[in-house]
mmCIF file of all heavy atoms in Angstrom:
data_model
loop_
_atom_site.group_PDB
_atom_site.id
_atom_site.type_symbol
_atom_site.label_atom_id
_atom_site.label_comp_id
_atom_site.label_asym_id
_atom_site.label_seq_id
_atom_site.Cartn_x
_atom_site.Cartn_y
_atom_site.Cartn_z
ATOM 1 N N ALA P 103 72.546 124.889 84.576
ATOM 2 C CA ALA P 103 72.334 123.436 84.429
ATOM 3 C C ALA P 103 71.227 123.081 83.437
ATOM 4 O O ALA P 103 71.355 122.125 82.677
ATOM 5 C CB ALA P 103 72.027 122.837 85.792
ATOM 6 N N ALA P 104 70.166 123.860 83.430
ATOM 7 C CA ALA P 104 69.012 123.499 82.604
ATOM 8 C C ALA P 104 69.233 123.784 81.120
ATOM 9 O O ALA P 104 68.462 123.321 80.276
ATOM 10 C CB ALA P 104 67.797 124.254 83.099
ATOM 11 N N LYS P 105 70.287 124.564 80.789
ATOM 12 C CA LYS P 105 70.409 124.978 79.380
ATOM 13 C C LYS P 105 71.721 124.562 78.707
ATOM 14 O O LYS P 105 71.805 124.589 77.486
ATOM 15 C CB LYS P 105 70.219 126.488 79.263
ATOM 16 C CG LYS P 105 71.151 127.296 80.143
ATOM 17 C CD LYS P 105 70.903 128.790 80.009
ATOM 18 C CE LYS P 105 71.926 129.583 80.786
ATOM 19 N NZ LYS P 105 71.862 130.997 80.603
ATOM 20 N N ILE P 106 72.731 124.173 79.482
ATOM 21 C CA ILE P 106 74.037 123.912 78.864
ATOM 22 C C ILE P 106 74.079 122.560 78.162
ATOM 23 O O ILE P 106 74.009 121.512 78.792
ATOM 24 C CB ILE P 106 75.165 123.981 79.920
ATOM 25 C CG1 ILE P 106 75.358 125.393 80.433
ATOM 26 C CG2 ILE P 106 76.496 123.471 79.351
ATOM 27 C CD1 ILE P 106 75.891 126.375 79.418
ATOM 28 N N ARG P 107 74.240 122.591 76.832
ATOM 29 C CA ARG P 107 74.383 121.342 76.056
ATOM 30 C C ARG P 107 75.839 121.122 75.638
ATOM 31 O O ARG P 107 76.230 120.019 75.283
ATOM 32 C CB ARG P 107 73.517 121.412 74.797
ATOM 33 C CG ARG P 107 72.018 121.461 75.090
ATOM 34 C CD ARG P 107 71.225 121.737 73.822
ATOM 35 N NE ARG P 107 71.437 120.725 72.795
ATOM 36 C CZ ARG P 107 71.231 120.925 71.489
ATOM 37 N NH1 ARG P 107 70.816 122.096 71.055
ATOM 38 N NH2 ARG P 107 71.451 119.954 70.630
ATOM 39 N N ALA P 108 76.628 122.219 75.669
ATOM 40 C CA ALA P 108 78.005 122.110 75.163
ATOM 41 C C ALA P 108 78.996 122.733 76.138
ATOM 42 O O ALA P 108 78.747 123.800 76.708
ATOM 43 C CB ALA P 108 78.111 122.801 73.814
ATOM 44 N N LEU P 109 80.116 122.040 76.298
ATOM 45 C CA LEU P 109 81.191 122.530 77.170
ATOM 46 C C LEU P 109 82.491 122.545 76.362
ATOM 47 O O LEU P 109 82.828 121.553 75.699
ATOM 48 C CB LEU P 109 81.307 121.604 78.379
ATOM 49 C CG LEU P 109 82.357 121.917 79.453
ATOM 50 C CD1 LEU P 109 81.856 121.423 80.800
ATOM 51 C CD2 LEU P 109 83.689 121.256 79.154
ATOM 52 N N ALA P 110 83.187 123.675 76.397
ATOM 53 C CA ALA P 110 84.495 123.756 75.737
ATOM 54 C C ALA P 110 85.549 123.722 76.828
ATOM 55 O O ALA P 110 85.488 124.509 77.780
ATOM 56 C CB ALA P 110 84.593 125.041 74.931
ATOM 57 N N HIS P 111 86.492 122.786 76.690
ATOM 58 C CA HIS P 111 87.513 122.655 77.731
ATOM 59 C C HIS P 111 88.872 123.067 77.190
ATOM 60 O O HIS P 111 89.237 122.732 76.060
ATOM 61 C CB HIS P 111 87.573 121.215 78.229
ATOM 62 C CG HIS P 111 88.543 121.039 79.357
ATOM 63 N ND1 HIS P 111 88.495 121.795 80.501
ATOM 64 C CD2 HIS P 111 89.606 120.212 79.503
ATOM 65 C CE1 HIS P 111 89.462 121.431 81.312
ATOM 66 N NE2 HIS P 111 90.172 120.479 80.726
ATOM 67 N N THR P 112 89.605 123.760 78.012
ATOM 68 C CA THR P 112 90.974 124.124 77.656
ATOM 69 C C THR P 112 91.824 124.001 78.910
ATOM 70 O O THR P 112 91.312 124.105 80.029
ATOM 71 C CB THR P 112 91.026 125.549 77.045
ATOM 72 O OG1 THR P 112 92.321 125.778 76.508
ATOM 73 C CG2 THR P 112 90.696 126.624 78.058
ATOM 74 N N GLY P 113 93.103 123.722 78.730
ATOM 75 C CA GLY P 113 93.977 123.564 79.894
ATOM 76 C C GLY P 113 93.918 122.141 80.412
ATOM 77 O O GLY P 113 93.388 121.243 79.761
ATOM 78 N N HIS P 114 94.455 121.949 81.621
ATOM 79 C CA HIS P 114 94.623 120.576 82.095
ATOM 80 C C HIS P 114 93.921 120.307 83.418
ATOM 81 O O HIS P 114 94.286 119.397 84.150
ATOM 82 C CB HIS P 114 96.123 120.244 82.145
ATOM 83 C CG HIS P 114 96.730 120.313 80.767
ATOM 84 N ND1 HIS P 114 96.707 119.254 79.907
ATOM 85 C CD2 HIS P 114 97.292 121.342 80.082
ATOM 86 C CE1 HIS P 114 97.259 119.613 78.750
ATOM 87 N NE2 HIS P 114 97.623 120.886 78.836
ATOM 88 N N SER P 115 92.875 121.108 83.705
ATOM 89 C CA SER P 115 92.086 120.788 84.901
ATOM 90 C C SER P 115 91.176 119.599 84.580
ATOM 91 O O SER P 115 90.971 119.258 83.422
ATOM 92 C CB SER P 115 91.249 121.997 85.310
ATOM 93 O OG SER P 115 90.272 122.250 84.324
ATOM 94 N N LYS P 116 90.639 118.989 85.624
ATOM 95 C CA LYS P 116 89.818 117.777 85.447
ATOM 96 C C LYS P 116 88.401 118.118 84.974
ATOM 97 O O LYS P 116 87.781 119.046 85.480
ATOM 98 C CB LYS P 116 89.718 117.029 86.777
ATOM 99 C CG LYS P 116 91.051 116.448 87.236
ATOM 100 C CD LYS P 116 91.085 114.941 86.975
ATOM 101 C CE LYS P 116 92.434 114.323 87.273
ATOM 102 N NZ LYS P 116 93.424 114.478 86.212
ATOM 103 N N VAL P 117 87.928 117.347 84.003
ATOM 104 C CA VAL P 117 86.504 117.358 83.671
ATOM 105 C C VAL P 117 85.983 116.016 84.150
ATOM 106 O O VAL P 117 86.154 114.989 83.483
ATOM 107 C CB VAL P 117 86.275 117.550 82.155
ATOM 108 C CG1 VAL P 117 84.787 117.541 81.841
ATOM 109 C CG2 VAL P 117 86.910 118.864 81.678
ATOM 110 N N ASP P 118 85.413 116.002 85.354
ATOM 111 C CA ASP P 118 85.080 114.728 85.998
ATOM 112 C C ASP P 118 83.570 114.481 86.047
ATOM 113 O O ASP P 118 82.776 115.303 85.576
ATOM 114 C CB ASP P 118 85.695 114.677 87.399
ATOM 115 C CG ASP P 118 85.262 115.868 88.251
ATOM 116 O OD1 ASP P 118 84.305 116.572 87.871
ATOM 117 O OD2 ASP P 118 85.891 116.093 89.303
ATOM 118 N N ALA P 119 83.228 113.343 86.637
ATOM 119 C CA ALA P 119 81.811 112.949 86.714
ATOM 120 C C ALA P 119 80.995 113.992 87.465
ATOM 121 O O ALA P 119 79.843 114.261 87.103
ATOM 122 C CB ALA P 119 81.710 111.593 87.394
ATOM 123 N N ALA P 120 81.592 114.607 88.493
ATOM 124 C CA ALA P 120 80.850 115.595 89.286
ATOM 125 C C ALA P 120 80.446 116.785 88.416
ATOM 126 O O ALA P 120 79.311 117.274 88.497
ATOM 127 C CB ALA P 120 81.712 116.052 90.457
ATOM 128 N N LEU P 121 81.373 117.234 87.563
ATOM 129 C CA LEU P 121 81.059 118.360 86.670
ATOM 130 C C LEU P 121 79.966 117.950 85.680
ATOM 131 O O LEU P 121 79.038 118.715 85.398
ATOM 132 C CB LEU P 121 82.336 118.833 85.940
ATOM 133 C CG LEU P 121 82.186 119.997 84.966
ATOM 134 C CD1 LEU P 121 81.561 121.225 85.630
ATOM 135 C CD2 LEU P 121 83.535 120.391 84.358
ATOM 136 N N MET P 122 80.088 116.731 85.161
ATOM 137 C CA MET P 122 79.067 116.254 84.209
ATOM 138 C C MET P 122 77.705 116.149 84.890
ATOM 139 O O MET P 122 76.680 116.488 84.303
ATOM 140 C CB MET P 122 79.492 114.902 83.619
ATOM 141 C CG MET P 122 80.748 115.005 82.761
ATOM 142 S SD MET P 122 81.283 113.401 82.136
ATOM 143 C CE MET P 122 83.057 113.671 82.012
ATOM 144 N N ASP P 123 77.697 115.680 86.147
ATOM 145 C CA ASP P 123 76.432 115.547 86.875
ATOM 146 C C ASP P 123 75.801 116.912 87.160
ATOM 147 O O ASP P 123 74.581 117.027 87.258
ATOM 148 C CB ASP P 123 76.645 114.791 88.192
ATOM 149 C CG ASP P 123 76.808 113.304 87.939
ATOM 150 O OD1 ASP P 123 76.380 112.833 86.857
ATOM 151 O OD2 ASP P 123 77.377 112.609 88.802
ATOM 152 N N ALA P 124 76.665 117.920 87.283
ATOM 153 C CA ALA P 124 76.140 119.270 87.527
ATOM 154 C C ALA P 124 75.488 119.846 86.267
ATOM 155 O O ALA P 124 74.806 120.865 86.335
ATOM 156 C CB ALA P 124 77.263 120.181 88.010
ATOM 157 N N LEU P 125 75.722 119.197 85.124
ATOM 158 C CA LEU P 125 75.185 119.693 83.849
ATOM 159 C C LEU P 125 74.380 118.577 83.161
ATOM 160 O O LEU P 125 74.833 117.971 82.189
ATOM 161 C CB LEU P 125 76.345 120.149 82.943
ATOM 162 C CG LEU P 125 77.238 121.259 83.504
ATOM 163 C CD1 LEU P 125 78.528 121.381 82.718
ATOM 164 C CD2 LEU P 125 76.485 122.587 83.511
ATOM 165 N N PRO P 126 73.194 118.310 83.656
ATOM 166 C CA PRO P 126 72.439 117.139 83.170
ATOM 167 C C PRO P 126 72.041 117.203 81.695
ATOM 168 O O PRO P 126 71.698 116.177 81.112
ATOM 169 C CB PRO P 126 71.208 117.112 84.081
ATOM 170 C CG PRO P 126 71.112 118.463 84.675
ATOM 171 C CD PRO P 126 72.486 119.013 84.740
#
Side-chain angles (χ1 to χ4, degrees):
K105 55 181 186 173
I106 292 293
R107 295 172 59 203
L109 181 150
H111 184 54
T112 190
H114 297 274
S115 67
K116 293 257 174 279
V117 179
D118 56 14
L121 180 56
M122 294 177 209
D123 284 340
L125 301 165

